[in-house]
């Protein structure tokens, strides 16, 4: 019994350490003063007002939505078809293609961002949306591919066989049976990709310019110039939004399945 | 069968295009790393190995060593802190406890590195949470200096890497055959002995992969050393950024970026060899 209690208190201490920064950000975001105060000296939403009306953040948020919209959608389209191919077929160069497309999980983001910056310079697409979207697409694609691959593995192959026996063409099997069954995996992958792209910083710092910067980049610039809690308010809004999206994803698609942590 | 081929190729084309773009970007880094730097110009000169010779100076060695040291510390602490959480996550009896543990430990992964780094600045700063708390409790008079130190950088990096570590460890722990544990317990082993002699050894592959993934990820950390280290703690990524954007020495920045990539690939290759060897040894016993 004592061992159980001490184990669970250890877990509680570690989780406190993990969540402490989030709690502190949420506290400072509603604190009326410029400096951090404990306990909070009151409740005010003025930093939220400042964050929402700060032009840099508004533009950056819009840029971020454009980039995320294109990047995560492209990643789902390309990643799903790729997952489908590597699940069903073996072809020449498959290993190489897989290696290259998984590599963003390993390549340091600043190396990748730098590479896209140089490539953009060469193609005269410097700091434009094309390169930013391209960089984000390859960065988030492994997560989509994995989510779709896991859902494909969970599709009962007998369903396809039965349909084929009844005369359905391969295309028909794909669109009528496989695709509807892997839609949750694709949607879960899309959500994860969208969040990762929206919050991606290091590679974005390299590939965005002052007009195309995304929210994390403009937050970084703000932190370096000012010390007031406006960024706390932005962070709080991002934390709340991502938490809600993750909870939704968990409800709809089973987060543990999308991330492939199988407990039991 | 003749119909399948074109159908197949249209599917493959987008993935090939994405792979080619990605490979081209990395090739550009490779290409720049062997080019001559022309001061005052963004254009690069001819072929040279000068950048790789230049790395061989004490200041750069120190940055590389420090990067290595910080990554090692981070991986060790992240492992020690993540194991109990992963164990609790997999073995919790109630479903709501499992859900709570998953949300608390995995959600931080999705708030992005800037939000997380900024949050740690609020916790660790001289007017931050820890210092205010300690002062209110009367434990200190002068603020503790945690920002701009290696300790501060590691504190933040450990928390960043824990979600990934927890995911990998939880997967390993959930694959442990419970019957082995039950058999040991039936034969009279104490719970502690079951854990140390059965569960822990069976999760060694997960421990190794978690350790190396976190190590490799931390090697490429950028925003945390940049903001929490505040220029006093330089990791390889910060040095590369400084070379690229302050000195505008793009070739040398490319060389440093390439070295970070090689270090990351090298540590993962090492992991593959190690886990392979350990799995073989485990299956023999």
């Amino acid at each position: 019994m004592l061992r159980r209690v001490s184990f669970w208190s250890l877990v509680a201490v570690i989780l406190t350490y993990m969540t402490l920064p989030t709690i502190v950000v949420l506290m400072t975001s509603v604190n009326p003063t410029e400096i951090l105060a404990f306990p909070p000296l009151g409740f005010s939403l003025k930093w939220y007002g400042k964050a929402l009306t700060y032009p840099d953040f508004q533009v950056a948020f819009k840029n971020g939505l454009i980039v995320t919209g294109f990047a995560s959608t492209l990643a789902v389209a390309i990643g799903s078809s790729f997952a489908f191919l590597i699940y069903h077929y073996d072809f020449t160069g498959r290993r190489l293609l897989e290696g290259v497309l998984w590599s963003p999980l390993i390549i340091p983001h600043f190396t990748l961002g730098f590479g896209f910056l140089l490539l953009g310079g060469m193609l005269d697409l410097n700091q434009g949306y094309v390169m930013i979207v391209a960089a984000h697409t390859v960065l988030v694609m492994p997560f989509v591919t994995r989510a779709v691959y896991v859902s494909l593995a969970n599709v009962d192959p007998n369903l396809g066989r039965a349909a084929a026996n009844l005369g359905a063409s391969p295309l028909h099997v794909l669109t009528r049976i496989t695709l509807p069954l892997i839609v949750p995996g694709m949607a879960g992958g899309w959500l994860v990709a969208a969040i990762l792209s929206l919050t991606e910083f290091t590679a974005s710092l390299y590939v965005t310019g002052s007009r195309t910067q995304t929210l994390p980049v403009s937050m970084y610039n703000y932190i370096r110039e000012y010390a007031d809690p406006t960024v706390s308010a932005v962070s709080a809004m991002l934390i709340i939004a991502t938490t809600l999206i993750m909870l939704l994803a968990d409800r709809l698609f089973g987060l543990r399945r999308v991330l492939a942590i199988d407990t039991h | 069968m003749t119909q399948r081929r074109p159908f197949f190729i249209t599917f493959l084309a987008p993935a090939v295009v994405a792979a080619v773009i990605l490979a081209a970007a990395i090739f550009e880094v490779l290409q720049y790393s062997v080019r001559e730097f022309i001061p005052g110009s963004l254009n690069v000169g001819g072929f040279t190995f000068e950048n790789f010779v230049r790395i061989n100076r004490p200041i750069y060695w120190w940055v590389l060593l420090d990067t290595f040291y910080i990554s090692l510390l981070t991986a060790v602490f992240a492992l020690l802190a993540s194991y109990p959480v992963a164990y609790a996550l997999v073995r919790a009896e109630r479903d709501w406890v499992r859900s709570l543990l998953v949300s608390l430990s995995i959600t931080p992964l999705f708030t992005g590195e800037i939000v997380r780094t900024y949050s740690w600045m609020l916790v660790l700063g001289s007017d931050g949470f820890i210092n205010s708390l300690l002062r209110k409790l009367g434990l200190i008079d002068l603020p503790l200096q945690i920002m701009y130190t290696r300790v501060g950088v590691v504190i933040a990096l450990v928390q960043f890497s824990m979600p990934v570590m927890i995911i990998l460890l939880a997967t390993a722990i959930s694959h442990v055959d419970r019957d082995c544990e039950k058999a040991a317990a039936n034969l009279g082993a104490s719970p502690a002995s079951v854990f140390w002699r059965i569960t822990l050894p069976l999760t060694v592959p997960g421990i190794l992969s978690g350790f190396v993934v976190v190590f490799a990820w931390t090697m490429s950390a950028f925003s945390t050393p940049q903001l929490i280290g505040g220029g006093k703690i330089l990791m390889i990524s910060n040095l590369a950024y400084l070379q690229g954007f302050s000195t505008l020495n793009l070739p040398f920045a490319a060389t440093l970026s390439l070295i970070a990539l090689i270090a990351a690939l090298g540590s993962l290759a090492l992991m593959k060899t190690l886990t392979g060897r350990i799995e073989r040894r485990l299956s023999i016993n």
Side-chain angles (χ1 to χ4, degrees):
Chain A
M1 195 59 211
L2 185 67
R3 181 173 285 131
R4 268 179 91 87
V5 171
S6 51
F7 173 72
W8 283 99
S9 13
L10 176 68
V11 170
V13 168
I14 298 168
L15 287 173
T16 310
Y17 158 72
M18 281 191 87
T19 39
L20 180 69
T22 311
I23 294 165
V24 172
V25 162
L26 294 175
M27 277 165 80
T28 43
S29 72
V30 293
N31 203 25
T33 55
E34 286 228 354
I35 58 153
L36 207 62
F38 293 99
L41 296 172
F43 181 90
S44 146
L45 291 177
K46 75 172 183 187
W47 303 117
Y48 286 81
K50 202 173 166 211
L52 291 170
T53 52
Y54 188 64
D56 270 21
F57 289 157
Q58 289 176 336
V59 172
F61 183 63
K62 197 199 77 194
N63 291 341
L65 285 185
I66 295 173
V67 171
T68 305
F70 279 103
S72 44
T73 308
L74 274 173
V76 168
I78 305 171
S80 306
S81 53
F82 184 58
F84 181 80
L85 284 176
I86 55 175
Y87 186 75
H88 285 287
Y89 304 97
D90 205 0
F91 48 90
T92 349
R94 180 187 135 164
R95 285 263 167 195
L96 179 70
L97 194 57
E98 264 186 273
V100 173
L101 291 175
W102 286 121
S103 70
L105 293 176
I106 301 154
I107 299 176
H109 282 199
F110 71 95
T111 306
L112 197 88
F114 193 46
F116 274 90
L117 173 76
L118 296 175
L119 189 66
M122 194 183 79
L123 301 172
D124 232 359
L125 290 168
N126 248 332
Q127 302 178 335
Y129 285 117
V130 177
M131 272 299 139
I132 309 172
V133 169
H136 278 223
T137 305
V138 296
L139 265 175
V140 298
M141 220 167 78
F143 296 91
V144 181
T145 311
R146 178 164 180 171
V148 176
Y149 193 89
V150 170
S151 1
L152 277 170
N154 285 327
V155 171
D156 184 353
N158 287 328
L159 293 174
R161 277 187 216 129
N165 272 345
L166 294 170
S169 70
L171 187 67
H172 211 80
V173 172
L174 173 69
T175 51
R176 289 294 183 79
I177 294 178
T178 315
L179 217 50
L181 286 171
I182 61 168
V183 159
M186 286 168 75
W190 187 86
L191 271 183
V192 170
I195 289 179
L196 289 175
S197 158
L198 206 59
T199 57
E200 207 296 322
F201 170 68
T202 308
S204 309
L205 183 65
Y206 279 86
V207 290
T208 62
S210 53
R211 279 184 310 113
T212 51
Q213 65 183 357
T214 54
L215 195 54
V217 179
S218 66
M219 287 166 76
Y220 172 75
N221 291 332
Y222 193 94
I223 296 168
R224 292 202 309 170
E225 293 223 8
Y226 311 100
D228 69 50
T230 309
V231 173
S232 293
V234 183
S235 303
M237 288 188 271
L238 280 174
I239 290 169
I240 293 165
T242 48
T243 309
L244 287 178
I245 295 174
M246 291 328 284
L247 283 177
L248 187 74
D250 193 30
R251 262 292 138 78
L252 293 176
F253 322 113
L255 195 55
R256 269 175 269 172
R257 253 215 359 238
V258 172
L259 295 170
I261 325 170
D262 38 46
T263 50
H264 310 297
Chain B
M1 221 41 200
T2 40
Q3 254 200 331
R4 193 173 278 173
R5 208 131 270 263
F7 172 67
F8 179 79
I9 282 175
T10 40
F11 262 133
L12 200 58
V16 172
V17 171
V20 167
I21 293 174
L22 174 57
I26 298 305
F27 178 76
E28 277 293 280
V29 176
L30 190 72
Q31 203 260 106
Y32 265 68
S33 72
V34 288
R35 291 306 197 90
E36 200 182 340
F37 171 49
I38 303 170
S41 162
L42 280 177
N43 295 319
V44 287
F47 179 86
T48 175
F49 273 124
E50 175 58 32
N51 301 308
F52 288 92
V53 176
R54 192 176 160 202
I55 292 251
N56 204 3
R57 281 187 203 168
I59 39 162
Y60 302 131
W61 275 111
W62 279 118
V63 172
L64 282 173
L65 269 178
D66 211 21
T67 307
F68 190 79
Y69 178 62
I70 289 173
S71 310
L72 200 66
L73 280 183
T74 303
V76 169
F77 285 115
L79 177 64
L80 292 177
S82 303
Y83 205 98
V85 180
Y87 191 83
L89 178 74
V90 177
R91 296 294 167 85
E93 274 137 31
R94 285 165 215 274
D95 215 33
W96 70 266
V97 178
R98 259 205 307 274
S99 291
L100 182 75
L101 288 173
V102 172
S103 346
L104 285 181
S105 56
I106 310 297
T107 320
L109 186 62
F110 295 100
T111 52
E113 45 183 303
I114 278 296
V115 170
R116 288 192 284 171
T117 305
Y118 174 74
S119 320
W120 275 112
M121 291 167 74
L122 295 179
V123 176
L124 304 174
S126 48
D127 290 318
F129 177 80
I130 289 178
N131 276 313
S132 317
L133 192 70
L134 291 177
R135 224 174 323 190
K136 202 142 278 174
L137 294 172
L139 292 172
I140 52 165
D141 294 324
L142 286 173
L144 292 177
Q145 181 70 40
I146 318 175
M147 277 287 281
Y148 317 124
T149 66
R150 205 170 278 113
V151 174
V153 173
V154 171
I155 288 178
L157 286 175
V158 167
Q159 190 243 1
F160 292 2
S161 39
M162 279 178 63
V164 175
M165 184 74 97
I166 290 172
I167 291 176
L168 292 170
L169 290 177
T171 310
I173 295 170
S174 70
H175 285 149
V176 170
D177 190 351
R178 302 292 300 258
D179 289 340
C180 278
E181 294 180 348
K182 279 185 201 132
N186 279 343
L187 293 171
S190 69
S193 149
V194 170
F195 177 77
W196 292 108
R197 314 262 311 255
I198 309 277
T199 318
L200 194 65
L202 284 175
T203 52
V204 163
I207 291 175
L208 266 181
S209 60
F211 186 87
V212 181
V213 166
V214 166
F215 179 79
W217 275 32
T218 313
M219 290 277 282
S220 62
F222 175 76
S223 53
T224 310
Q226 188 82 9
L227 287 169
I228 294 180
K232 293 211 174 104
I233 304 295
L234 275 187
M235 288 178 71
I236 188 165
S237 57
N238 311 119
L239 186 63
Y241 188 73
L242 214 61
Q243 287 292 333
F245 288 86
S246 300
T247 324
L248 295 177
N249 189 342
L250 296 179
F252 193 54
T255 308
L256 290 166
S257 308
L258 196 66
I259 287 192
L261 174 61
I262 294 168
L265 289 175
S267 27
L268 287 164
L270 186 71
M271 172 190 82
K272 284 238 154 129
T273 331
L274 278 178
T275 38
R277 200 167 287 177
I278 284 176
E279 265 164 4
R280 243 172 291 139
R281 186 162 301 170
L282 281 175
S283 63
I284 288 167
N285 284 346

